[in-house]
Amino acid sequence: MTIDWWTLGLQAANFLVLVWVLTRVLYRPVRQVIAERQARVNAALDAARAREAAAEEARRRHERALAEFEERKRALAAQAEAELEALRAQRIAKAEAEAEAIREAARRAAQETRARAIDAARADIAALAATLAGRVLQSFGAACGADDAPAQIAAFERALAQMEPAERAALASPGADAALVTARALDEDARAAWREALGRLVGAPPRLTFRVDPALLGGFVLTMGGAELRLAWADFLSEARARLARSMDDAP
Amino acid sequence: MTTNPLTPEILFHLGPVPVSAAVATTWLLMSAMTLTAGAIMRRPRIAPGRAQAALEIVVEAIARQAEEILGRDPWPFMPLLGTLFLFIASANLSAAVPGLAPPTGHLETPAALALIVFFSVHWHGVRARGWRAYLRRYAEPTALMLPLNLLGEITRTFSLMIRLFGNMMSHEFVVAILLSLAGFLLPTPFMALGVLIGLVQAYIFAVLAAVYIGAGLGVVET
């Protein structure tokens, strides 16, 4: 077996030439395009990562803003609650002060009204007392305060004069028994004077009995012929009390 | 008179230089490969067409394989390793073309390629490790191993050459014998098998070259 050295050398040279040529027309362009493609992929990945980072940053900003908003909302709500509470307390205090003022004014007005009513009642009472005193004095005369028989008899005769005829006739029935009640015991002259006065009324002296009732205070009560004539101080005082009570009820 | 089939067939002379059929076929393959690669990669696009994608897939597959063997950036070694695979594959496959004989079926072409691999191993090894460190590895683990290591360097280059030459030459002979004995159609399955053998032999030659270079770099144990 022989070797053709020319062929061997030429093939070696051919291969080296092929290496040189393919380096330029194949390997280098392929490597460049792969590197460029990889660079673009890396750039796209970097851009995607950058966008992801930006999105993450935006999400964090949004969450921070949301948290700040929530915090501000809570602070505002607390502030509004505090202001509302203060306003409510202020208004309650003001209302209580106004109510107290109204109550005080009402109490003062009531006191003034009561004082005026009391004053008016006192005035009425005074007037009534004066009227009653006047009537007592008018009924029993100036001597009525002494409560003596002549004054009582004079009052009896004035009462008779003011009576209706039917009443006077019922009192002056002849033969009837009579009873005279006084606040103090009458002496014999007084009793004689009463017998004489009643005799003048019925034409003959009646059978007259005398009793003493201190509760009458003054004046007398004459019972005769089924009729009764009361001119006792106690009755006048009772009437005065009743009038006074009515005037008190009518007072505002 | 019978002629030795292993003797190169001289087609013509360029002055004193005889041009054999293997050299002429090699020029043809070189032209085809250059024109094809140049046409496809003349304006490479980021979004490649089918031809560019196919070419990129082939180149990337070779680069990935070289990276797995060398354990480093394969692109400085791609001109040698890639061209070894592409040239041997195309030379082996040229047997399927009527009228062409594969250049690797004659001893000179595998010998030339094996010599280039032999010198490339030392060139890359010295560049990567320096003269002293590179030469020191022949005396490891002991100085007694120096003759054996030197012999190994020669024999592995010789085996690289003989493996490719033997496989392709024997395949050529088998196909030729079958063709002369059984007619036209019977050798067809053997020719299809020859395609597979041609690709496998190209792969083996390129991978062994990468392994030898890796050993020279100190990254592969042989």
Side-chain angles (χ1 to χ4, degrees):
Chain A
M1 189 164 95
T2 58
I3 287 182
D4 182 3
W5 296 102
W6 282 109
T7 301
L8 193 150
L10 282 174
Q11 288 296 70
N14 285 340
F15 182 78
L16 293 176
V17 170
L18 186 62
V19 167
W20 183 82
V21 170
L22 287 186
T23 299
R24 275 147 187 80
V25 300
L26 181 60
Y27 304 121
R28 197 172 292 168
V30 167
R31 189 179 183 186
Q32 283 175 351
V33 76
I34 288 173
E36 191 176 348
R37 192 178 296 134
Q38 189 63 41
R40 290 195 182 190
V41 169
N42 290 339
L45 282 175
D46 290 344
R49 287 195 194 95
R51 278 197 296 273
E52 186 182 4
E56 181 66 20
E57 179 60 26
R59 188 182 67 77
R60 277 200 290 270
R61 276 202 307 272
H62 173 71
E63 285 180 350
R64 277 201 300 272
L66 205 60
E68 289 173 1
F69 173 74
E70 285 292 329
E71 185 65 26
R72 203 161 59 235
K73 190 174 75 175
R74 276 197 294 274
L76 286 175
Q79 183 182 355
E81 183 72 20
E83 289 177 354
L84 192 63
E85 187 64 29
L87 186 61
R88 190 168 58 186
Q90 183 182 355
R91 289 195 175 179
I92 286 173
K94 185 180 178 184
E96 285 178 348
E98 289 177 352
E100 185 60 29
I102 290 171
R103 276 198 301 271
E104 183 62 28
R107 191 163 55 242
R108 208 174 294 122
Q111 284 177 348
E112 289 174 357
T113 303
R114 190 172 64 181
R116 280 197 299 271
I118 290 172
D119 290 345
R122 283 176 179 165
D124 288 346
I125 289 168
L128 184 61
T131 303
L132 289 174
R135 285 187 61 184
V136 169
L137 290 174
Q138 188 179 6
S139 300
F140 296 102
C144 186
D147 193 25
D148 54 358
Q152 292 173 347
I153 291 169
F156 169 68
E157 288 175 345
R158 281 196 300 274
L160 282 177
Q162 292 173 355
M163 276 182 179
E164 297 293 325
E167 292 177 343
R168 193 166 56 230
L171 187 67
S173 54
D177 291 339
L180 181 67
V181 182
T182 58
R184 286 177 294 275
L186 299 177
D187 56 10
E188 198 54 39
D189 291 339
R191 292 184 177 189
W194 271 106
R195 286 192 190 97
E196 186 183 351
L198 293 176
R200 282 195 300 273
L201 177 64
V202 299
R207 193 170 59 225
L208 181 60
T209 58
F210 294 94
R211 280 195 302 117
V212 175
D213 185 0
L216 295 180
L217 299 178
F220 62 91
V221 175
L222 177 63
T223 305
M224 191 168 68
E228 186 182 58
L229 175 64
R230 297 186 68 90
L231 291 174
W233 289 15
D235 292 343
F236 284 103
L237 289 176
S238 297
E239 185 185 358
R241 275 199 299 274
R243 285 191 181 183
L244 186 60
R246 281 198 299 275
S247 68
M248 292 295 283
D249 291 341
D250 294 340
Chain B
M1 188 179 104
T2 57
T3 56
N4 185 355
L6 298 180
T7 303
E9 180 186 359
I10 303 301
L11 295 181
F12 58 89
H13 285 76
L14 287 176
V17 180
V19 177
S20 65
V23 173
T25 304
T26 298
W27 286 344
L28 196 64
L29 293 174
M30 287 172 62
S31 303
M33 293 170 68
T34 303
L35 290 176
T36 304
I40 293 173
M41 297 306 295
R42 187 176 181 181
R43 291 189 181 86
R45 291 179 297 177
I46 298 298
R50 289 183 179 181
Q52 182 184 337
L55 206 54
E56 286 184 17
I57 286 171
V58 170
V59 173
E60 277 199 277
I62 298 169
R64 199 158 43 242
Q65 186 70 49
E67 186 177 15
E68 287 179 5
I69 295 170
L70 297 172
R72 60 175 62 186
D73 180 20
W75 288 102
F77 309 96
M78 275 302 289
L80 175 67
L81 298 177
T83 307
L84 275 176
F85 177 79
L86 292 176
F87 173 68
I88 295 171
S90 58
N92 293 345
L93 295 179
S94 66
V97 179
L100 288 183
T104 48
H106 294 272
L107 189 58
E108 290 80 6
T109 304
L113 297 178
L115 281 174
I116 288 172
V117 170
F118 176 81
F119 289 113
S120 297
V121 168
H122 300 309
W123 187 70
H124 284 297
V126 170
R127 276 190 66 187
R129 304 167 72 175
W131 279 106
R132 290 175 182 277
Y134 182 74
L135 292 178
R136 193 180 302 125
R137 77 186 182 97
Y138 288 105
E140 289 174 350
T142 65
L144 294 175
M145 296 296 291
L146 181 62
L148 289 176
N149 285 333
L150 292 175
L151 186 63
E153 283 290 323
I154 296 168
T155 54
R156 76 179 186 188
T157 303
F158 192 75
S159 71
L160 199 63
M161 171 187 71
I162 292 299
R163 183 184 301 109
L164 176 61
F165 164 68
N167 276 286
M168 297 316 298
M169 181 270 291
S170 60
H171 177 70
E172 281 290 301
F173 280 179
V174 168
V175 171
I177 292 168
L178 284 175
L179 192 60
S180 63
L181 293 177
F184 191 66
L185 291 177
L186 188 59
T188 305
F190 288 92
M191 294 178 73
L193 181 63
V195 173
L196 180 62
I197 291 171
L199 291 175
V200 169
Q201 288 304 315
Y203 175 77
I204 289 172
F205 198 101
V207 165
L208 285 176
V211 170
Y212 297 157
I213 290 172
L217 295 173
V219 297
V220 176
E221 289 292 332
T222 55

